[in-house]
Amino acid sequence: MKKVYEGKTKDVYSLDNGNVLLKFKDDCTGKDGVFDPGENTVGLTIDGIGKANLETSIHFFEILKEKGIKTHYVSANVEEATMEVLPATVFGKGLEVICRLVATGSFIRRYGAYIEDGTRIPNGYVETTLKDDEKGDPLITKDALALLGVMSEEMYDSMKKQTLEITKIVAEDLMKKGLDLYDIKFEFGYNNNEVILIDEIASGNMRVYKDGKIVEPIELTSIILEK
Amino acid sequence: MKKVYEGKTKDVYSLDNGNVLLKFKDDCTGKDGVFDPGENTVGLTIDGIGKANLETSIHFFEILKEKGIKTHYVSANVEEATMEVLPATVFGKGLEVICRLVATGSFIRRYGAYIEDGTRIPNGYVETTLKDDEKGDPLITKDALALLGVMSEEMYDSMKKQTLEITKIVAEDLMKKGLDLYDIKFEFGYNNNEVILIDEIASGNMRVYKDGKIVEPIELTSIILEK
């Protein structure tokens, strides 16, 4: 088992069977000691958060598997805080795919002249940003992704379709716990030209409300993992 | 003839035949007395610039007419600095449609990690921004335009197709004068559900190079209008 990459919140190892092992760490992104999933640098360490994010991810990846949606997820070992996944290549230098069910946050900061904060988007809206701290994670269109050679139009269409499906499944699961999914952020990669969901599905990747109030990531994790 | 709108650089009158008259003014957008087509407020007055922009627009609209591309242009009277146009409704609170033949400017500020400044885009790349000074004219995707009710997907496709065609025609005309079109900004509107090019096609709407050096709008106008 060879460490191939040391990430901010996960280390990556290559396995002999051709798969990849993700080791979830207790390091979190944040600023000045305050946890903020939107930040791009490690700001603090929270005991057990690696395992909590892994368990949350297992929860959702297992649901997706049951529903017949292929992702990079193979299996996991909570004790060791590891997840075995299919090898996948990220698009470009990394993309974030956002699905919005309620218009808020940066969507309103951009398009607030056209839509009220809090408006429901029943069919979901998908948009893509480049991971580029320096440039403020700029929004990018399907046409620009194709032009820059990041992904083909067909790959974009597949990614968008999967994003809508997966978001719907996650939202339905959260709804059972009285939680209201506003938006969620995914990463996709490709494996033999097939576009699949990669990385994690954890509380830091979604904006969730309960009884009209935002639920912070750590509380959200505990609600999701409640038996 | 009734004045229906007083714009920054043009006044708008309704005509008895159902068409609209645009009166080009000598007021220019700019800041601190310096002409800058990218600015959103009137910064100065330049004698004769209204007529010069009108003549430039006539030049290009006539070429488009010859090529069979329908726009809002009907006729013009240079003496009076007026252009008769078809009535058209702008999309939302106003959109800008940009076609890029060379990657530079804001495209590089956003996507510079993926493409070199100055890279040619042989087939052209079209993107749309909302006119919204306060929010910095944000980029918007086809999907978001449809979601916000600004335009249907079919209208977007028509607008994109026309933008690529018109840009090609403008670039070919400029090339005859030794000018190299990098990018150009258009406005579209709709008339009976048909999407058509509106507003003007003037030097302030395009970034043009000659012998490797940028050509400023006033010099560009005089080159375009040279007999």
Side-chain angles (χ1 to χ4, degrees), chain A residues 92-94 107-115 121 125 130 132 135 138-141 143-144 147-148 150 160, chain B residues 92-94 107-115 121 125 130 132 135 138-141 143-144 147-148 150 160:
Chain A
K93 300 169 208 291
F107 192 79
I108 293 296
R109 285 196 294 279
R110 279 179 271 136
Y111 311 134
Y114 290 84
I115 192 166
I121 306 171
Y125 161 74
L130 293 179
D132 190 334
K135 298 185 188 297
L139 182 70
I140 186 160
T141 65
D143 287 353
L147 172 66
L148 299 177
V150 177
K160 178 177 156 184
Chain B
K93 300 168 206 292
F107 192 79
I108 293 297
R109 285 196 293 280
R110 278 178 271 137
Y111 311 133
Y114 288 83
I115 192 167
I121 306 171
Y125 162 73
L130 293 179
D132 190 335
K135 297 185 187 299
L139 182 69
I140 186 161
T141 64
D143 287 353
L147 172 67
L148 299 176
V150 177
K160 178 177 157 184

Side-chain angles (χ1 to χ4, degrees), chain B residues 11-225:
Chain B
D11 291 333
V12 181
Y13 298 85
S14 65
L15 296 175
D16 292 338
N17 65 1
N19 285 344
V20 168
L21 198 77
L22 303 180
K23 169 93 178 166
F24 284 62
K25 301 195 281 191
D26 285 343
D27 295 336
C28 317
T29 56
K31 211 174 167 177
D32 306 325
V34 179
F35 177 44
D36 180 353
E39 279 294 329
N40 289 309
T41 51
V42 169
L44 71 166
T45 298
I46 300 177
D47 265 359
I49 198 167
K51 282 187 188 176
N53 283 335
L54 173 58
E55 285 187 84
T56 310
S57 295
I58 296 169
H59 173 81
F60 289 115
F61 277 123
E62 287 286 348
I63 295 175
L64 294 176
K65 204 172 172 183
E66 273 168 39
K67 302 262 183 186
I69 293 180
K70 183 177 173 182
T71 67
H72 77 153
Y73 175 73
V74 177
S75 64
N77 183 328
V78 176
E79 201 83 332
E80 294 179 359
T82 58
M83 183 160 86
E84 183 177 339
V85 299
L86 298 175
T89 309
V90 299
F91 290 106
K93 300 168 206 292
L95 281 187
E96 284 185 342
V97 185
I98 299 114
C99 187
R100 302 180 181 275
L101 298 175
V102 175
T104 194
S106 68
F107 192 79
I108 293 297
R109 285 196 293 280
R110 278 178 271 137
Y111 311 133
Y114 288 83
I115 192 167
E116 287 264 331
D117 197 347
T119 305
R120 299 265 159 193
I121 306 171
N123 298 322
Y125 162 73
V126 176
E127 61 186 10
T128 308
T129 60
L130 293 179
K131 281 196 185 190
D132 190 335
D133 297 2
E134 219 176 275
K135 297 185 187 299
D137 295 341
L139 182 69
I140 186 161
T141 64
K142 172 180 167 179
D143 287 353
L145 288 167
L147 172 67
L148 299 176
V150 177
M151 67 172 67
S152 67
E153 295 190 21
E154 294 68 32
M155 280 177 159
Y156 184 91
D157 291 339
S158 165
M159 186 175 81
K160 178 177 157 184
K161 187 167 167 277
Q162 290 184 59
T163 298
L164 290 167
E165 284 173 0
I166 293 168
T167 301
K168 196 167 169 245
I169 291 167
V170 171
E172 283 168 358
D173 181 69
L174 292 172
M175 201 179 290
K176 289 181 198 157
K177 300 175 173 83
L179 297 168
D180 191 2
L181 179 64
Y182 273 35
D183 47 49
I184 183 163
K185 208 165 64 180
F186 297 107
E187 274 189 68
F188 283 83
Y190 57 98
N191 170 296
N192 295 324
N193 268 315
E194 191 179 17
V195 179
I196 53 171
L197 182 65
I198 62 169
D199 200 44
E200 61 177 29
I201 310 177
S203 301
N205 307 112
M206 47 186 101
R207 186 185 265 133
V208 171
Y209 276 66
K210 186 172 186 157
D211 304 326
K213 270 185 220 150
I214 197 156
V215 184
E216 297 303 334
I218 292 172
E219 192 198 340
L220 179 57
T221 300
S222 72
I223 301 176
I224 292 170
L225 297 179

Side-chain angles (χ1 to χ4, degrees), chain A residues 146-158:
Chain A
L147 172 66
L148 299 177
V150 177
M151 67 173 67
S152 67
E153 295 188 22
E154 293 70 30
M155 280 176 161
Y156 184 90
D157 291 339
S158 166

Side-chain angles (χ1 to χ4, degrees), chain A residues 69 89-91 94-99 126-130 140-142 145 150-167 186-190 193-198, chain B residues 143:
Chain A
I69 292 180
T89 310
V90 300
F91 291 106
L95 282 187
E96 283 184 343
V97 185
I98 299 114
C99 187
V126 176
E127 61 186 11
T128 309
T129 60
L130 293 179
I140 186 160
T141 65
K142 173 180 168 179
L145 288 167
V150 177
M151 67 173 67
S152 67
E153 295 188 22
E154 293 70 30
M155 280 176 161
Y156 184 90
D157 291 339
S158 166
M159 187 174 81
K160 178 177 156 184
K161 186 166 168 281
Q162 291 184 60
T163 298
L164 290 167
E165 284 172 0
I166 294 168
T167 301
F186 297 108
E187 275 189 68
F188 283 84
Y190 57 98
N193 267 316
E194 192 179 15
V195 179
I196 52 173
L197 182 65
I198 62 169
Chain B
D143 287 353

